[in-house]
Amino acid sequence: MSPAASTRWCPTPEQIMILEEMYRGGIRTPNATQIQQITAHLSFYGKIEGKNVFYWFQNHKARERQKLRRKLCRQQQQQLSAHHHRFLHQIEQSDSSALHQPPLYNSAQLLPQAGGAKEASNDVMSYSSRKMDIPERDEKERSKWMYGRDWMMMMMMDIGPTTHCCNRPLKTLQLFPITTTSLKDECTTSNHLSCSTSTD
Amino acid sequence: MSPAASTRWCPTPEQIMILEEMYRGGIRTPNATQIQQITAHLSFYGKIEGKNVFYWFQNHKARERQKLRRKLCRQQQQQLSAHHHRFLHQIEQSDSSALHQPPLYNSAQLLPQAGGAKEASNDVMSYSSRKMDIPERDEKERSKWMYGRDWMMMMMMDIGPTTHCCNRPLKTLQLFPITTTSLKDECTTSNHLSCSTSTD
DNA sequence: GCAAATTAATGATTTATTCAAG
DNA sequence: CTTGAATAAATCATTAATTTGC
């Protein structure tokens, strides 16, 4: 390896902030003169060379573009199945008080029935043997979990791991190719998807 | 025995999209009823349990907040020294042609073949721990670099690695604590900044 | 191209904080 | 002042992406 001499530029926070500000200001590919000036200016905050500035803009531009692409892609995919859209209205009406929390939390109205149910019925234990929810680590672990979140437990017990709509298909539906590749390359949006791996 | 059974929920793309849509729709901490419904709905797209939904909203909320805080913090810190602000006008006048590129890039004026800067990782902010890989690797690499960018090299020679304004402080200014922890607690906004080394 | 090694993202847990009731 | 409910913050742990050497 190389000696202790710094192998590469290590930008200071100030330098990064300034570069970003310029980027937002519209600078994308500064020319030689500009790079000179920027370098001189940034040298006030730490060691830097012109090529660092040059590369920074190259990289930043590329990554911003990438981010944008990803975001647009996600928005595109947001047009989902009718099944989903029908649901959206249902859920947003189910409890309006929880939806429009104006301050950080009102907290009083949350599950008033949970406490009542707990006190009323001791037979909670009866189905605890089915251990539907919790990961099966140990008894120790599970009881610790239940202790803190029994209200959630109760709730979950009622519905169990999925039963409502349609007969659920054992594991994961095969409607879509779920196998990991789908999110891989941003979206596979439409055409190009250039996989130019720098032919050397 | 279920050795291969994954220990944790692995959300499908559709589930994630739906959850995000609900989040944007205003749902933050769904109550028991809502979690039930959401779980039932999402089970259409793959295996899921109520606690997954619960945790997802917890995590997503927290991480969005974190992101926001970080961003605000950055903006705050953008009020930098006068030294910097004076510079801003200077640089923006030096060459207007490069500044006001209306489309994504005109690119004609800057080395169209630039293959040097490859995309490393996706977050420019994290200066402390990530890679912004810049050439410098070997002689071979560097000479390739020079070949394409001799104009820049020339320019660089003139200015060298930092010499211009004021006596620069050897490495990085100690205005901020830069040592890897800097991103830990988001920003260390303005006041405390506990680096008081001298208590004699 | 592939597989080990490294790094980033994020699901799951734990700990600390906040507020209200007693 | 203490306690309990609810949750935000911090942390742990595992999965996925990326890089790297062959």
Side-chain angles (χ1 to χ4, degrees):
Chain A
M1 283 62 172
S2 52
S6 65
T7 63
R8 68 185 206 185
W9 177 49
C10 200
T12 71
E14 297 81 31
Q15 288 173 333
I16 290 180
M17 284 188 298
I18 292 174
L19 285 168
E20 284 178 343
E21 187 170 336
M22 292 192 220
Y23 187 91
R24 273 193 301 279
I27 297 178
R28 290 294 179 277
T29 55
N31 59 21
T33 310
Q34 289 177 304
I35 290 185
Q36 270 191 56
Q37 294 180 97
I38 295 172
T39 304
H41 177 55
L42 289 186
S43 74
F44 179 83
Y45 299 99
K47 187 176 182 182
I48 190 173
E49 303 177 40
K51 64 178 182 179
N52 305 134
V53 174
F54 170 76
Y55 282 138
W56 189 92
F57 277 98
Q58 289 272 101
N59 284 322
H60 197 70
K61 184 170 51 174
R63 283 161 192 156
E64 286 299 307
R65 210 163 17 196
Q66 182 177 303
K67 246 189 283 182
L68 239 203
R69 234 182 339 213
R70 212 178 286 189
K71 181 164 294 184
L72 283 183
C73 182
R74 238 181 325 197
Q75 287 180 352
Q76 269 187 12
Q77 289 187 334
Q78 231 131 64
Q79 276 75 300
L80 274 174
S81 66
H83 173 255
H84 166 57
H85 277 128
R86 254 178 284 120
F87 174 70
L88 274 190
H89 293 91
Q90 178 192 338
I91 184 62
E92 294 195 347
Q93 288 169 350
S94 69
D95 187 355
S96 56
S97 63
L99 281 171
H100 309 121
Q101 301 165 350
L104 258 200
Y105 55 111
N106 285 339
S107 83
Q109 79 281 21
L110 277 188
L111 25 135
Q113 83 280 23
K118 179 164 57 179
E119 291 181 353
S121 60
N122 272 348
D123 55 8
V124 177
M125 287 303 127
S126 63
Y127 44 81
S128 71
S129 58
R130 290 162 59 182
K131 68 171 178 188
M132 340 190 48
D133 248 346
I134 315 303
E136 4 195 326
R137 318 176 158 274
D138 311 337
E139 265 312 301
K140 171 169 60 99
E141 282 299 315
R142 197 172 64 190
S143 59
K144 187 160 56 172
W145 192 83
M146 285 184 68
Y147 173 78
R149 288 166 185 73
D150 48 355
W151 62 270
M152 197 164 133
M153 256 331 223
M154 312 263 334
M155 166 188 87
M156 244 53 96
M157 292 298 182
D158 246 2
I159 177 175
T162 66
T163 10
H164 252 207
C165 71
C166 68
N167 45 357
R168 84 175 163 87
L170 276 174
K171 281 290 167 63
T172 52
L173 276 179
Q174 290 296 78
L175 297 177
F176 304 84
I178 295 176
T179 49
T180 62
T181 60
S182 35
L183 273 185
K184 185 84 174 283
D185 42 17
E186 252 103 73
C187 59
T188 330
T189 318
S190 44
N191 38 6
H192 60 310
L193 215 289
S194 66
C195 42
S196 59
T197 42
S198 69
T199 60
D200 53 44
Chain B
M1 56 190 70
S2 52
S6 65
T7 64
R8 73 184 206 184
W9 174 50
C10 201
T12 71
E14 296 81 33
Q15 288 174 333
I16 290 180
M17 283 188 299
I18 292 174
L19 286 168
E20 284 178 344
E21 187 170 336
M22 293 193 219
Y23 186 90
R24 272 193 303 277
I27 296 178
R28 290 292 179 278
T29 55
N31 59 20
T33 310
Q34 288 177 304
I35 290 185
Q36 272 190 53
Q37 293 180 98
I38 295 172
T39 304
H41 178 55
L42 288 185
S43 75
F44 180 82
Y45 298 99
K47 188 177 182 180
I48 191 174
E49 305 176 41
K51 64 175 184 179
N52 303 133
V53 174
F54 172 77
Y55 284 139
W56 189 92
F57 276 97
Q58 288 270 104
N59 281 322
H60 198 70
K61 186 170 43 174
R63 283 164 184 155
E64 284 299 308
R65 211 170 9 211
Q66 185 175 303
K67 246 189 285 181
L68 238 203
R69 238 179 336 209
R70 216 178 282 189
K71 182 164 293 184
L72 283 184
C73 181
R74 235 176 331 182
Q75 286 180 352
Q76 268 188 13
Q77 289 189 334
Q78 230 130 63
Q79 276 76 297
L80 274 172
S81 66
H83 173 252
H84 166 56
H85 276 128
R86 256 178 281 119
F87 173 72
L88 275 189
H89 294 91
Q90 178 191 338
I91 184 61
E92 294 195 348
Q93 288 168 351
S94 69
D95 187 355
S96 55
S97 65
L99 281 171
H100 307 122
Q101 301 161 352
L104 256 199
Y105 55 112
N106 284 340
S107 82
Q109 75 275 24
L110 267 199
L111 26 131
Q113 87 280 28
K118 63 177 169 185
E119 306 191 344
S121 43
N122 45 11
D123 196 0
V124 187
M125 290 315 302
S126 49
Y127 32 78
S128 56
S129 64
R130 304 235 183 125
K131 301 180 182 176
M132 270 198 199
D133 220 343
I134 312 273
E136 197 79 341
R137 308 171 167 279
D138 332 340
E139 264 312 300
K140 172 167 59 95
E141 281 299 315
R142 201 172 60 189
S143 60
K144 186 162 59 176
W145 191 82
M146 286 184 66
Y147 173 76
R149 290 159 191 77
D150 46 358
W151 62 269
M152 197 164 132
M153 256 327 199
M154 311 269 325
M155 169 188 82
M156 241 59 89
M157 295 295 182
D158 247 2
I159 178 175
T162 66
T163 12
H164 252 207
C165 67
C166 68
N167 46 358
R168 82 180 162 86
L170 274 176
K171 280 291 169 62
T172 53
L173 278 179
Q174 289 298 81
L175 297 179
F176 304 84
I178 296 177
T179 48
T180 61
T181 63
S182 45
L183 270 186
K184 187 83 175 284
D185 44 19
E186 255 96 70
C187 60
T188 329
T189 320
S190 50
N191 35 10
H192 55 310
L193 214 287
S194 60
C195 52
S196 55
T197 41
S198 61
T199 53
D200 284 16

